[in-house]
Amino acid sequence: MITVNEKEHVFHLHNGRMSYLFYVMDSGQLGHLYFGKELRSDGSYLHMVEKAHRPMTTYITEGDLYTSYEHLRQEYPTYGTSDYRYPALEVQGTDGSALCKLEYQGYEIIPGKKPLPGLPATYVEDPAEAETLEIRMRDPWRGLEAVLSYTIFRDCDAIARSVRFVNKGEKTLFLDRAMSLSLDFPDADYESVQLSGSWARARSIVTRPLPPGVPAVSSMRGNSSHQHNPFLALKRKHTTEHSGDAYGFSLVYSGNFLAQAEVDNYNVLRVMLGINPFGFRWKLAPGGEFVTPEAVMVWSNQGLNGMSWQFHALYKNRLARGYWRDRERPVLINNWEATMFDYVEDDLVRFAQKAQECGIELFVLDDGWFGARNNDRAGLGDWKPNPAKLPNGIKGLAQRIEGLGMKFGLWFEPEMVNRDSDLFRAHPDYIIQTPGRTPSHGRNQFVLDFSRPQVVDEIYNQMYALLSTAKISYIKWDMNRSISECYSASLPADQQGEVFHRYILGVYDLHERLIRAFPELLIESCSSGGGRFDAGMLYYAPQGWTSDDSDAIERLKIQYGTSLVYPISSMGAHVSACPNSQVGRNTPIETRGNVAMTGAFGYELDLNKLSEEELKAVKQQVVFYKQNRKLLVQGAFYRLLSPFEGNFAAWEVAEHDGSRALVTVTRILSEINGPYRRLPLLGLDPDRKYHIYSKYLSYEAYGDELMQFGLMLEDQASGQVIEGSGGSGSCEDFRSLVYEVVGM
Ligand code: DGJ
C-alpha cells in the first residue's frame, strides 16, 4: 500500500482505489503532489511541482528566483520562511523567535497502525488491514523532532494522520500551533461543506463556495460544540450525493478545534485541521513529547454519500470498539422528557413496567436521582442516590428493573459540579476558574478541572462505587455547559495554554478507566444533546444523544446532517410525547417511530399516558425494530432526498450484498393532489427480484427497475387519498412510511 520512489524521494500511499503522493524537496521540506483517484504506482510525478518566477515573492536561496515556499504545495508547512499562508506548525523558543524549519531525516513503514497514547484513534485488528508511513523531520536549529504519521487502510478510502513532536534540544520550546493535518490542493474550485447550527439544531448541512481568504469553522468552548462540528468536506460544484469527487476531513477529538480552508492568490487551497491554536500553547521541555489528535481524510468519487460510507465504515468498525461495537443495541426508554426531576422510585417502576410490556429492553434513569438534585441548582458532583426519591438506592431500583426483565441505565454528568453540593463545599478549588475573577456559570453549574488527575480520580471513585454495587448496564454521560475562564490551579503560568487539551485528556482517561473496569457497559455520550457529537467520543461511546430536539420533523435534518460523517448506529433517537416539548408540534406516532428507528432507537415519554391505539403502534414499532436492528446497525446508508432541499426526506439502509433494504420516506407538509412520485433506490442487485411492502403497497420488481425507474410512492406519503376516506382527509402534514424491499 505504500510505495517509495527512493530516487525521486516520492512517497505514494495507495490502496487500489485512491492515491496520496508527496515528496521531499531539495531543501528537506515535504511537498505535496496529489490526493484522489488512484494513479499508477510506477509513475514519475515530480513534474507536478509548479514553479515560476513571480513578482513580490520571497525566495528561499539567493540566486534562485524560482523556489519559494509561497508557491509550493506543502505537506506540513511551518512558520517563518517564505510561505505567507497559515502554517501547520508554530513553535516559539525561549529566545522569542517563532521561526521553524523542518527537514527530512528518514522514514519507516510499519504494518498496521500504532495506538495514540491517551487519545482516541482508529485502529486495526489485523496488521494486514493497514500500513503506516512515519516520516521523521527535524529542525536542527531548535532540536525539535516531528514524526508525521500516515496510515492508509486497505478496505477503506481513508488516511489517518497525526504528528508526534519531541524536543531533542536543550532548551524549552512552546508549541503555539500543532495541526493534525495540512493539505494543499492545486486548485480551489470546490464548495466547502460544514455541519453547523446551535443547541437543538446542530449539524445542519451548510454548503458554500470557497472565496479567496480563510473560511473556517472552529470551537473555543472546550467541547467540540453544537455550533460547528470538527469536520469539513470539499466537493466540486457538479458533485451530487452519489457522483463526483468529494473529500472529507474529520478530527478524532472532542475539544477545541479549527478546520480551515485557505484560498491563496493563485487559487491554491490549503486545508487544515487540528486543535484550535487559540488558547493553545504547549510547553515542551527538553525530552518532552506532544502528540496531536488524529485527523482522518477520506476521498470518494461517488459523491457526498460515498464520502459518508468511508467515514461510516471506518468509524463503525475501526473507531468504535469493545463489547457493543457490533452488537444490536437495546431498545431503551428514558424518563427525562416525561418526568424531569420530579419522581420517586415507585413512579419509575410503573414507568418501566409499561415499557417492558411494550417489549422495551432498557430503562434509563436520567438526571435528578442523586444528592440534593431536585432542580438544576444543586447536587452535581455528589453521585450518591437521593434517599427521599430512591429509598432503596440505585441498587434497589436496579434490582426492581432487572426483576421486570429489563436492563437498567443511569445518567451522570461527571465533569460538573453545583456550588450547592458536598463536593464543592469540600473542594471549591476543584473547578476551572481564573484566580481573582468570578467564574461564569452555565445552568448553575461549574466545570470540574479534569486537567487535574486527582479530580478525575475523585469522580472515578464515586462512579466506580455505584457501578460496582448496582447492576447498571448503561450510562448516559452528559455535559451541559462549555468551559469559560479557562485556568487550572494546578499548572504554572507558562502551562495555562495546556488546560483545554489536558481537560479533554482527563475526560478520555475517565472513559478509558470505566471501560476497562466495566467492559460490557454501554456508554451513550451527550452534551445538552449533540454538543460533543464527534469522532473522539465514538471511541468510548458507540452511541450519542444526537440532539435535545426530539421532534421527528426537526430530527429529519439533524439526523440527515449527522449522517454526513457519523454512522446511524451512533445516533441516539427517541420517540417522544406530543405536543413535542421543544417545538410544540404534533406528529403521528408512526412518523416519530420511523424517524427514530434509523438510529439507536428508544422512547422518551410516559407510555402510561398513551391511548390504546398509540400503545399498539409502539408495540409494533418495537417488534419491527428488533427484527431489523441488525440491518440498521450494520447496513449501508444512502441519503435519497434531502430535507434541506425540499418537502421530503428519504433514506435507505441496505444490506451490503443488496439482499434487503429499508426505505424511510417522510413528507414534511401535506401536499394536496400532488404529482406521482417515484424514488430511485441504490445498492440493490439489478438482476434480483424484490418484494416491496409498505403499509399501503405490496408489489414485486427487479433491482434494475427499482434503481432506474424507482420505487413507486403510491400511498399517503405522496399525497394520494385513500379510497373511501371521503376526499382529501387522509392528507396530513408530517406523514412517513417505511418500505421493506426484500430480495426474493
Ligand atoms: C441534557 C440532555 O441532553 C437531556 O437529554 C437530559 O439528560 C438533560 N441534560 C438532563 O439534565
Side-chain angles (χ1 to χ4, degrees), residues 61 134 148 177 337 351 392 423 537 622 685 722:
T61 318
E134 286 192 350
L148 311 184
R177 171 191 289 255
E337 286 197 16
F351 183 92
N392 302 301
L423 182 67
M537 278 295 137
V622 173
D685 177 350
I722 302 296

mmCIF file of all heavy atoms in Angstrom, residues 61 134 148 177 337 351 392 423 537 622 685 722:
data_model
loop_
_atom_site.group_PDB
_atom_site.id
_atom_site.type_symbol
_atom_site.label_atom_id
_atom_site.label_comp_id
_atom_site.label_asym_id
_atom_site.label_seq_id
_atom_site.Cartn_x
_atom_site.Cartn_y
_atom_site.Cartn_z
ATOM 1 N N THR A 61 16.564 30.660 -1.576
ATOM 2 C CA THR A 61 18.013 30.700 -1.708
ATOM 3 C C THR A 61 18.417 31.847 -2.620
ATOM 4 O O THR A 61 17.798 32.045 -3.671
ATOM 5 C CB THR A 61 18.515 29.374 -2.356
ATOM 6 O OG1 THR A 61 17.799 28.300 -1.771
ATOM 7 C CG2 THR A 61 19.999 29.160 -2.154
ATOM 8 N N GLU A 134 5.818 6.503 8.605
ATOM 9 C CA GLU A 134 6.259 7.543 9.548
ATOM 10 C C GLU A 134 7.418 8.306 8.927
ATOM 11 O O GLU A 134 8.425 7.706 8.536
ATOM 12 C CB GLU A 134 6.705 6.922 10.871
ATOM 13 C CG GLU A 134 5.541 6.446 11.706
ATOM 14 C CD GLU A 134 5.931 6.080 13.143
ATOM 15 O OE1 GLU A 134 7.150 6.009 13.455
ATOM 16 O OE2 GLU A 134 5.027 5.858 13.938
ATOM 17 N N LEU A 148 5.743 12.628 11.335
ATOM 18 C CA LEU A 148 4.442 12.699 10.663
ATOM 19 C C LEU A 148 4.001 11.278 10.365
ATOM 20 O O LEU A 148 4.729 10.521 9.734
ATOM 21 C CB LEU A 148 4.539 13.470 9.347
ATOM 22 C CG LEU A 148 5.236 14.830 9.346
ATOM 23 C CD1 LEU A 148 5.139 15.462 7.959
ATOM 24 C CD2 LEU A 148 4.635 15.762 10.371
ATOM 25 N N ARG A 177 0.961 26.209 17.786
ATOM 26 C CA ARG A 177 0.024 25.670 16.799
ATOM 27 C C ARG A 177 0.617 24.349 16.353
ATOM 28 O O ARG A 177 1.783 24.290 15.950
ATOM 29 C CB ARG A 177 -0.076 26.643 15.622
ATOM 30 C CG ARG A 177 -0.848 26.129 14.422
ATOM 31 C CD ARG A 177 -0.650 27.054 13.230
ATOM 32 N NE ARG A 177 -1.339 28.308 13.409
ATOM 33 C CZ ARG A 177 -2.489 28.643 12.787
ATOM 34 N NH1 ARG A 177 -3.028 27.832 11.924
ATOM 35 N NH2 ARG A 177 -3.060 29.783 13.007
ATOM 36 N N GLU A 337 -37.793 13.496 29.479
ATOM 37 C CA GLU A 337 -38.843 14.398 28.993
ATOM 38 C C GLU A 337 -40.170 14.142 29.702
ATOM 39 O O GLU A 337 -41.025 15.027 29.774
ATOM 40 C CB GLU A 337 -39.007 14.275 27.470
ATOM 41 C CG GLU A 337 -37.864 14.931 26.711
ATOM 42 C CD GLU A 337 -38.192 15.190 25.242
ATOM 43 O OE1 GLU A 337 -39.366 15.146 24.852
ATOM 44 O OE2 GLU A 337 -37.231 15.435 24.487
ATOM 45 N N PHE A 351 -43.413 3.279 35.327
ATOM 46 C CA PHE A 351 -42.993 3.779 34.016
ATOM 47 C C PHE A 351 -42.279 2.659 33.236
ATOM 48 O O PHE A 351 -42.568 2.392 32.064
ATOM 49 C CB PHE A 351 -42.039 4.955 34.295
ATOM 50 C CG PHE A 351 -41.522 5.696 33.122
ATOM 51 C CD1 PHE A 351 -42.193 6.817 32.638
ATOM 52 C CD2 PHE A 351 -40.321 5.339 32.510
ATOM 53 C CE1 PHE A 351 -41.685 7.541 31.569
ATOM 54 C CE2 PHE A 351 -39.822 6.048 31.448
ATOM 55 C CZ PHE A 351 -40.503 7.157 30.975
ATOM 56 N N ASN A 392 -34.488 2.757 48.303
ATOM 57 C CA ASN A 392 -33.658 1.539 48.231
ATOM 58 C C ASN A 392 -32.390 1.749 47.419
ATOM 59 O O ASN A 392 -31.744 0.791 46.993
ATOM 60 C CB ASN A 392 -34.477 0.396 47.619
ATOM 61 C CG ASN A 392 -35.722 0.143 48.431
ATOM 62 O OD1 ASN A 392 -35.635 -0.158 49.618
ATOM 63 N ND2 ASN A 392 -36.884 0.339 47.807
ATOM 64 N N LEU A 423 -19.408 18.042 47.227
ATOM 65 C CA LEU A 423 -18.093 18.070 46.578
ATOM 66 C C LEU A 423 -17.552 19.499 46.515
ATOM 67 O O LEU A 423 -16.385 19.744 46.829
ATOM 68 C CB LEU A 423 -18.176 17.479 45.154
ATOM 69 C CG LEU A 423 -16.829 17.416 44.425
ATOM 70 C CD1 LEU A 423 -15.871 16.428 45.090
ATOM 71 C CD2 LEU A 423 -16.992 17.022 42.947
ATOM 72 N N MET A 537 -15.462 10.991 20.729
ATOM 73 C CA MET A 537 -16.384 10.344 21.667
ATOM 74 C C MET A 537 -16.760 8.932 21.226
ATOM 75 O O MET A 537 -16.996 8.044 22.036
ATOM 76 C CB MET A 537 -17.648 11.204 21.809
ATOM 77 C CG MET A 537 -17.477 12.331 22.759
ATOM 78 S SD MET A 537 -17.212 11.696 24.425
ATOM 79 C CE MET A 537 -15.898 12.749 24.961
ATOM 80 N N VAL A 622 -41.615 -1.619 18.168
ATOM 81 C CA VAL A 622 -40.539 -2.320 18.883
ATOM 82 C C VAL A 622 -40.265 -3.669 18.215
ATOM 83 O O VAL A 622 -39.110 -4.051 17.995
ATOM 84 C CB VAL A 622 -40.893 -2.473 20.382
ATOM 85 C CG1 VAL A 622 -39.867 -3.346 21.094
ATOM 86 C CG2 VAL A 622 -40.967 -1.099 21.045
ATOM 87 N N ASP A 685 -29.389 -5.399 -6.070
ATOM 88 C CA ASP A 685 -28.844 -6.246 -7.129
ATOM 89 C C ASP A 685 -29.749 -6.062 -8.357
ATOM 90 O O ASP A 685 -30.939 -6.397 -8.303
ATOM 91 C CB ASP A 685 -28.867 -7.699 -6.628
ATOM 92 C CG ASP A 685 -28.394 -8.682 -7.688
ATOM 93 O OD1 ASP A 685 -28.243 -8.259 -8.857
ATOM 94 O OD2 ASP A 685 -28.194 -9.856 -7.345
ATOM 95 N N ILE A 722 -56.672 7.972 0.189
ATOM 96 C CA ILE A 722 -57.086 6.575 0.294
ATOM 97 C C ILE A 722 -58.573 6.471 -0.063
ATOM 98 O O ILE A 722 -59.383 7.275 0.397
ATOM 99 C CB ILE A 722 -56.886 6.065 1.738
ATOM 100 C CG1 ILE A 722 -55.411 6.214 2.137
ATOM 101 C CG2 ILE A 722 -57.363 4.629 1.912
ATOM 102 C CD1 ILE A 722 -54.451 5.392 1.345
#
